[in-house]
Amino acid sequence: AQRCGAPPGWPSRVKVLFFSFFSGTIGLSIYMYMAGSNISYLDLASPASERVRCLTKWPVRSHAFSFARPEEWRFYFDLSTPDLPRIAVERECTVPAVSGTLCSSTVIPVNQMRRPLAVAMTDLEGYDVLGMWARFFLCITFAIWVGVTTHDMALIGRRNKNFILDVSGVNEHCPSIRRVWRSLAGHRPLVRLVSQERLSLRVLGIVLAVLFAPLMLAWNLILFNFLIVPLILLAFARYPIRMSRAWVFIVCCACALYGLGLTVQQFAFMGSPELRPMYAVTWQPQTVTANATTLHDCECGCDYPISYSVCANLAIIGALTIIKSFFLAFRCLKGLRRCQWANLLSVLFPVPITIYSVDWRLPNGQPIKYRTEDMPVQGEVAFDPFAMMDEQLDSQFTTVHLRPEPVHRYEYNTSGELEVAPPRRALETP
């Protein structure tokens, strides 16, 4: 690119902008799948009620908005719930052609099957489950994309990369976040009991910790989602470059939790069909006259639950969301531990297999922590070759120099013949 006249740094910026869009592919796929629901998502063999209801205007559920139609955007993000009991009474109308017709035996014209799904009128207190998840994952995808793009664009710059904070920097510049979480987490009394010298108090602390563990876990999940995430968001809005890495990590963890919630909810729907959300299939009845066929002014519809296969697909999507979110969060760990060991979040590089197995030692020649003489630092070729370098005590003052070396070394044996010396590390190269 530089041979073509591109200024230094601009090829990296273009690549980062291009690849950053892939960081939100999972959330975008969930949005498109949920918001783009149609009649094929429903279990048409199990209507919620056999009654065909007719209204002057049937309320339509949230659907995928089109970028070509900005006037639909406000409708899509309108979170207000229609007053279904009032609508059912005020908009009810009668169509003689469908009077006495059952939902299980209703015939709908093919050209009307492309109509968007409507709000189910059977469960007057129901809410749009698919629309709620679609809105949420669309927003969280945008939040992840903004954080990843801000982080990577700052990291490849010459000036702003020095301002991206690690965990120690976040605690120093935003100490209130750590103080709030520590004071509200509720684990300090239990820790004091467990650390007591008296055996009776220590046993009491262990018993209480075991009994209150589920409650503490639920409380800290609520605290994380409704207090810590908003606090980090406010800090990121105020200091976008400094807090970009911490924001990506926190929002990815939150996305994984919501992916878990989506998966658990869909398993509940699969096990209990009566819990599944319902939507209405609507159509305009045809009035046949001697000269022509006209459409009636009323809209008739039947309510159906979503099918088992759709719940299974959403459970799989939720599981993939957990994996994708954690993978992106794990890329932040090096930079959160030591800012100088940070890496790009959007761009992944091909690593030559000849670099494995990775083996290095402490300055005194001894194996690093958690490694022995016969165990390489990183021998798994599918994992990060720079693992554990940022975890050393002197990682704040060390770096890595890569240079090519001969594959084989030759030495003279005791008889004076030149032979290949055994390598210092196991080579995974072909």
Side-chain angles (χ1 to χ4, degrees):
Q2 293 184 2
R3 291 183 180 180
C4 298
W10 278 99
S12 297
R13 292 186 178 93
V14 173
K15 188 175 182 179
V16 163
L17 287 175
F18 178 78
F19 279 90
S20 64
F21 287 100
F22 292 100
S23 60
T25 52
I26 289 293
L28 187 60
S29 65
I30 296 177
Y31 159 70
M32 295 300 297
Y33 186 80
M34 289 186 174
S37 56
N38 51 53
I39 192 174
S40 65
Y41 285 42
L42 305 180
D43 186 4
L44 299 180
S46 304
S49 173
E50 290 291 353
R51 177 192 175 189
V52 178
R53 187 189 298 268
C54 296
L55 303 175
T56 55
K57 183 175 178 57
W58 204 292
V60 182
R61 67 171 293 269
S62 302
H63 58 88
F65 66 82
S66 172
F67 288 98
R69 298 178 178 178
E71 65 274 7
E72 296 182 355
W73 297 4
R74 190 183 71 84
F75 163 75
Y76 182 78
F77 287 100
D78 185 7
L79 302 180
S80 60
T81 303
D83 188 359
L84 298 183
R86 181 180 59 81
I87 292 177
V89 174
E90 295 180 355
R91 300 184 185 179
E92 186 176 8
C93 61
T94 303
V95 180
V98 298
S99 297
T101 305
L102 302 179
C103 287
S104 57
S105 59
T106 298
V107 178
I108 304 176
V110 176
N111 62 349
Q112 296 198 44
M113 294 180 65
R114 63 181 182 179
R115 293 165 62 97
L117 297 181
V119 177
M121 302 298 294
T122 300
D123 185 9
L124 298 181
E125 296 182 357
Y127 60 96
D128 186 4
V129 176
L130 298 184
M132 179 194 68
W133 282 113
R135 292 187 186 97
F136 174 78
F137 279 106
L138 180 64
C139 295
I140 203 169
T141 297
F142 178 75
I144 293 175
W145 173 77
V146 171
V148 169
T149 305
T150 303
H151 173 271
D152 287 3
M153 293 297 289
L155 190 62
I156 62 179
R158 295 183 177 275
R159 181 173 59 89
N160 292 328
K161 63 182 178 182
N162 300 322
F163 297 100
I164 306 177
L165 301 178
D166 52 16
V167 171
S168 60
V170 172
N171 292 333
E172 180 181 353
H173 287 80
C174 301
S176 58
I177 298 177
R178 185 181 184 182
R179 281 200 301 266
V180 168
W181 200 350
R182 280 189 171 184
S183 60
L184 297 179
H187 66 282
R188 287 186 174 183
L190 296 178
V191 172
R192 293 193 188 99
L193 284 176
V194 173
S195 60
Q196 291 291 327
E197 295 182 358
R198 294 179 57 183
L199 181 60
S200 57
L201 293 178
R202 189 182 307 172
V203 172
L204 176 62
I206 295 175
V207 172
L208 291 178
V210 173
L211 294 177
F212 285 98
L215 182 61
M216 295 288 293
L217 178 61
W219 166 248
N220 279 272
L221 287 177
I222 296 174
L223 190 66
F224 174 79
N225 283 284
F226 297 102
L227 182 62
I228 302 303
V229 173
L231 285 178
I232 297 292
L233 176 59
L234 291 176
F236 172 69
R238 178 62 179 87
Y239 306 104
I241 294 177
R242 294 184 179 183
M243 298 296 296
S244 57
R245 188 177 299 138
W247 166 244
V248 173
F249 179 78
I250 291 295
V251 74
C252 285
C253 292
C255 185
L257 290 176
Y258 287 115
L260 178 62
L262 174 63
T263 303
V264 172
Q265 184 189 56
Q266 299 310 312
F267 274 117
F269 290 161
M270 293 164 62
S272 301
E274 64 274 6
L275 297 178
R276 299 177 191 172
M278 298 182 185
Y279 298 96
V281 177
T282 60
W283 70 95
Q284 287 184 272
Q286 294 180 344
T287 303
V288 180
T289 60
N291 297 328
T293 301
T294 58
L295 296 177
H296 201 280
D297 293 336
C298 291
E299 296 180 355
C300 297
C302 293
D303 299 339
Y304 299 91
I306 60 175
S307 64
Y308 181 92
S309 60
V310 171
C311 295
N313 293 338
L314 291 175
I316 295 174
I317 291 177
L320 293 177
T321 301
I322 299 174
I323 297 174
K324 175 72 174 180
S325 300
F326 275 133
F327 279 176
L328 184 56
F330 290 158
R331 295 181 209 166
C332 303
L333 291 180
K334 276 190 173 63
L336 288 175
R337 186 179 291 113
R338 296 290 188 187
C339 59
Q340 63 267 34
W341 288 92
N343 53 271
L344 295 177
L345 304 179
S346 59
V347 181
L348 301 179
F349 304 100
V351 179
I353 199 172
T354 188
I355 200 174
Y356 297 93
S357 62
V358 179
D359 195 17
W360 49 275
R361 295 173 178 267
L362 297 176
N364 58 6
Q366 296 297 320
I368 67 172
K369 195 175 181 179
Y370 305 118
R371 294 295 185 267
T372 59
E373 289 285 349
D374 57 345
M375 184 186 302
V377 174
Q378 181 56 282
E380 296 292 339
V381 297
F383 288 82
D384 182 13
F386 306 103
M388 303 188 72
M389 291 185 180
D390 58 307
E391 301 179 23
Q392 306 307 308
L393 296 177
D394 59 347
S395 61
Q396 185 177 0
F397 313 103
T398 57
T399 185
V400 175
H401 295 283
L402 299 179
R403 64 180 183 273
E405 292 183 349
V407 177
H408 301 292
R409 295 184 301 109
Y410 296 90
E411 294 179 353
Y412 289 99
N413 56 20
T414 55
S415 60
E417 296 179 353
L418 193 63
E419 63 180 14
V420 178
R424 296 188 180 93
R425 59 184 178 91
L427 296 177
E428 300 291 345
T429 180

